[in-house]
Amino acid sequence: MVIVFVIDSFLEETNGTTITAVRTRNKLIELGHEVRVVTVGPKDLDRKDIYTVPERYIPIVTHYSRKQNHPFAKPVKSTLEKAFEGADVVHFFVPFKMSKVGLKIAKKMNIPVTSAYHAQPGNITYGGMNLGKYGRPLEILIYKWNKRFYKKTDNIHCPSKYIADEAVRFGVNSRMHVISNGVSKSFVPMEVKRDDDKINILMIGRFAQEKRQDLIVNAVYHSKYRDKIQIYFAGKGPQLEKIKRLGRKLPNEPIIGFYTEKELVELINKMDLYIHAADLETEGIAALEAIACGIVPIISDNKYSATNQFAIDDRSLFKAGKPKD
């Protein structure tokens, strides 16, 4: 088959949606399919089957989206048409402008389409625009705005039942396919050299407001074991300096880095616990990667996060936003 992915951000693997798209593409190619990608990138990019378009400038929003390393794509009809030529199916990852234009083009070319529900409105209002919980009214408007896109695709991939239920709640009546984004086969238990002098805990995720690394720092600060605890934060993002400042109040400052997949597997296997404190998640692949390596998770019970589906039992949950819990 010839499959086309339409996704605003593909070339920099700094968020779960992009990582999922990259892994899925690699697997489909391995199975013998041709997978083309339309995404934001330089005009002279020399990569086979990658069709690039410029970044779309959106007043105010672009300022924050660049900090998140998540550009919005400017739809170029000629590029989309070229990528779609001879395609068997076009799959849209996010409901933004390029996907809306691409959907019209694909239907005009009589190409079947599917879509994915990866982007929560809260990712824009909470993390992107720094509105926090005060962005809820705007999120409802965005849900309704996105509905106009999703109702035009009959089959939608949802990474979790939570996000499928959210789509239905806001009026999307397409067929929902709840399928985990899954993890790379690299994430397995392995023998590594451990630091047994410390209690080592890890969180993986973008350094963004909604991921709540600050809760973990504050929880350790209030722990009677804080002298023995070593936090590891894996990722990158606009909240990096804030996390560093918070971490200076701890006896053992957090160790912060961005890791390759191989390095990340080794790091996870050195941990005693994995903590996922995020307020918003469509699934939370990072927690699933830790579980795949045999590490016990502790997860926020926030109702806007699907990650608590991975809790072993209630002992693996903490009250959202409550570091003392």
Side-chain angles (χ1 to χ4, degrees), residues 62-79:
T62 296
H63 170 75
Y64 291 106
S65 67
R66 284 175 177 169
K67 288 183 176 182
Q68 303 278 356
N69 293 313
H70 193 291
F72 288 94
K74 182 178 181 180
V76 179
K77 290 184 179 180
S78 59
T79 302

Side-chain angles (χ1 to χ4, degrees), residues 93-123:
F93 277 83
V94 287
F96 305 139
K97 184 70 172 180
M98 182 168 70
S99 292
K100 291 176 179 178
V101 173
L103 181 64
K104 290 180 182 178
I105 292 171
K107 286 183 176 289
K108 189 175 181 180
M109 295 173 71
N110 294 315
I111 303 169
V113 297
T114 59
S115 63
Y117 215 109
H118 284 290
Q120 283 179 270
N123 294 132

Side-chain angles (χ1 to χ4, degrees), residues 127-161:
M129 300 174 71
N130 290 322
L131 294 177
K133 63 183 179 181
Y134 300 106
R136 298 289 182 213
L138 181 56
E139 287 175 36
I140 294 172
L141 291 176
I142 296 173
Y143 265 118
K144 291 181 177 179
W145 181 54
N146 288 347
K147 182 177 73 172
R148 290 185 289 178
F149 170 78
Y150 284 113
K151 72 179 183 180
K152 296 175 184 176
T153 58
D154 295 330
N155 291 276
I156 302 173
H157 166 226
C158 299
S160 62
K161 186 177 183 299

Side-chain angles (χ1 to χ4, degrees), residues 8 33-34 66 75 79 88 98 116 119 149 163 191 228 235 290:
D8 290 46
H33 302 288
E34 177 186 342
R66 284 175 177 169
T79 302
D88 294 294
M98 182 168 70
F149 170 78
I163 208 66
E191 291 294 326
K228 295 183 66 178

Side-chain angles (χ1 to χ4, degrees), residues 178-196:
V178 179
I179 307 168
S180 170
N181 284 322
V183 298
S184 164
K185 61 184 179 182
S186 301
F187 290 91
V188 294
M190 61 186 294
E191 291 294 326
V192 294
K193 185 178 180 182
R194 295 170 53 88
D195 179 9
D196 291 326

Side-chain angles (χ1 to χ4, degrees), residues 44-255:
D44 58 349
L45 181 72
D46 185 23
R47 281 187 61 178
K48 185 181 178 183
D49 297 332
I50 303 288
Y51 296 76
T52 58
V53 296
E55 180 183 6
R56 176 184 174 215
Y57 178 76
I58 308 171
I60 302 175
V61 174
T62 296
H63 170 75
Y64 291 106
S65 67
R66 284 175 177 169
K67 288 183 176 182
Q68 303 278 356
N69 293 313
H70 193 291
F72 288 94
K74 182 178 181 180
V76 179
K77 290 184 179 180
S78 59
T79 302
L80 288 161
E81 289 168 346
K82 186 177 179 182
F84 293 178
E85 285 177 8
D88 294 294
V89 63
V90 178
H91 183 65
F92 300 94
F93 277 83
V94 287
F96 305 139
K97 184 70 172 180
M98 182 168 70
S99 292
K100 291 176 179 178
V101 173
L103 181 64
K104 290 180 182 178
I105 292 171
K107 286 183 176 289
K108 189 175 181 180
M109 295 173 71
N110 294 315
I111 303 169
V113 297
T114 59
S115 63
Y117 215 109
H118 284 290
Q120 283 179 270
N123 294 132
I124 298 171
T125 61
Y126 196 137
M129 300 174 71
N130 290 322
L131 294 177
K133 63 183 179 181
Y134 300 106
R136 298 289 182 213
L138 181 56
E139 287 175 36
I140 294 172
L141 291 176
I142 296 173
Y143 265 118
K144 291 181 177 179
W145 181 54
N146 288 347
K147 182 177 73 172
R148 290 185 289 178
F149 170 78
Y150 284 113
K151 72 179 183 180
K152 296 175 184 176
T153 58
D154 295 330
N155 291 276
I156 302 173
H157 166 226
C158 299
S160 62
K161 186 177 183 299
Y162 159 75
I163 208 66
D165 290 344
E166 282 289 281
V168 171
R169 186 164 71 92
F170 283 95
V172 180
N173 56 8
S174 303
R175 186 181 178 194
M176 305 294 177
H177 301 265
V178 179
I179 307 168
S180 170
N181 284 322
V183 298
S184 164
K185 61 184 179 182
S186 301
F187 290 91
V188 294
M190 61 186 294
E191 291 294 326
V192 294
K193 185 178 180 182
R194 295 170 53 88
D195 179 9
D196 291 326
D197 292 332
K198 295 281 197 313
I199 300 168
N200 298 294
I201 63 174
L202 169 69
M203 179 170 173
I204 305 166
R206 284 180 301 112
F207 302 145
Q209 188 178 6
E210 73 270 26
K211 297 301 183 182
R212 300 309 308 268
Q213 285 91 349
D214 60 300
L215 279 177
I216 299 176
V217 173
N218 288 329
V220 172
Y221 179 76
H222 288 101
S223 172
K224 66 180 179 180
Y225 301 106
R226 64 180 181 175
D227 289 344
K228 295 183 66 178
I229 296 174
Q230 178 63 65
I231 301 172
Y232 289 78
F233 288 132
K236 61 168 65 171
Q239 295 281 309
L240 174 60
E241 292 305 317
K242 178 182 176 181
I243 294 167
K244 285 182 177 179
R245 286 197 303 272
L246 278 173
R248 291 186 190 120
K249 68 183 181 181
L250 299 179
N252 304 303
E253 292 186 26
I255 295 173

